[in-house]
Amino acid sequence: MKLKHLVGVAAGLLLVGSGAALAQSESSTLTKVKKEGVMKVCYPQGSPQSYKDSKTGEWPGVFVDLANELGTWMKVKVQPVEVQWNTAVLALKRGDCDFFGSCFVYNAPRALEVNFIRPFRAKGLNAVIRKDNKKNLKTLADLNNENVKIAVGLGSREYETGKRLFPKAQFLALQIQSDVETLAPTRRGDADVTILPVININWWLAIPENAEWGKMAFPGQDFGNAPVGWAVRYGDQEWKDFLDMYS
């Protein structure tokens, strides 16, 4: 009888324990989103992943579509929160949004501050250069020169990777609303190249007026390949697990 009693008590504790483990925490972002019916998503402007239509105020983009689909499944409203690349981590940490929903590239400095969701994919970098290429830059090694000026967005993955791989170069780190704004110095001749993700360069060069003066600087020499995805604040494992399964 004692053995049966002990087995019964153990089974009861196991059920109680598993029920507690399965219960959602009241402090979790997942619980908050479900209760309020609103999911706030941080977006910086980065074509074609997420960008704001200046005429309508709407946010199109591949990663915006992914977040909207998630909102549809959850039956909650998605509320975009515009951020800049150099303040994106801060905005997420202080609670401006529930997660960073654009194409956030993993690197160690960012990962020390925010918790990355399982990556959707990986992407590499290249550069845009003027077609006249006055300095005759042919290889990536040519960028690591004190006479070369590289345009990047302040706080961007391109800035961090470029400084690490081409420490001798001069960098024009620009405060921008959209990543395509970093192309203006290269077009004017104030910079020799602009570093951008390959997917962004291909999208931009598909526009005829851009291809008239610019081109891919180093075809077949992509660099800095890294995983990309969303990010959340540390300390909310339930929300992270939920988004991990979606990704």
Side-chain angles (χ1 to χ4, degrees), residues 37-58:
V38 177
M39 183 168 63
K40 297 180 181 179
V41 185
C42 277
Y43 294 123
Q45 296 222 37
S47 307
Q49 292 90 355
S50 60
Y51 56 100
K52 191 174 184 179
D53 189 310
S54 59
K55 295 181 179 179
T56 66
E58 297 295 320

Side-chain angles (χ1 to χ4, degrees), residues 142-196:
D142 294 337
L143 294 181
N144 196 29
N145 187 301
E146 60 186 11
N147 295 319
V148 171
K149 293 182 179 180
I150 301 174
V152 291
L154 182 64
S156 67
R157 170 261 189 120
E158 295 79 51
Y159 185 36
E160 185 274 333
T161 303
K163 291 285 286 185
R164 179 162 43 85
L165 297 181
F166 316 117
K168 294 180 181 179
Q170 301 177 52
F171 281 83
L172 300 179
L174 306 172
Q175 181 79 34
I176 56 173
Q177 292 292 332
S178 175
D179 57 353
V180 295
E181 294 176 26
T182 59
L183 291 158
T186 298
R187 182 173 188 173
R188 292 193 304 263
D190 298 335
D192 298 303
V193 298
T194 294
I195 295 178
L196 285 171

Side-chain angles (χ1 to χ4, degrees), residues 100-171:
F100 183 93
S102 190
C103 193
F104 218 28
V105 176
Y106 177 92
N107 60 39
R110 285 175 176 170
L112 289 171
E113 302 295 331
V114 295
N115 204 359
F116 277 81
I117 300 305
R118 182 183 298 153
F120 287 101
R121 58 184 179 85
K123 68 177 182 179
L125 301 174
N126 209 296
V128 171
I129 194 169
R130 288 175 56 93
K131 285 187 173 180
D132 54 21
N133 189 10
K134 293 181 179 180
K135 292 186 178 177
N136 197 30
L137 303 175
K138 295 182 178 179
T139 69
L140 292 175
D142 294 337
L143 294 181
N144 196 29
N145 187 301
E146 60 186 11
N147 295 319
V148 171
K149 293 182 179 180
I150 301 174
V152 291
L154 182 64
S156 67
R157 170 261 189 120
E158 295 79 51
Y159 185 36
E160 185 274 333
T161 303
K163 291 285 286 185
R164 179 162 43 85
L165 297 181
F166 316 117
K168 294 180 181 179
Q170 301 177 52
F171 281 83

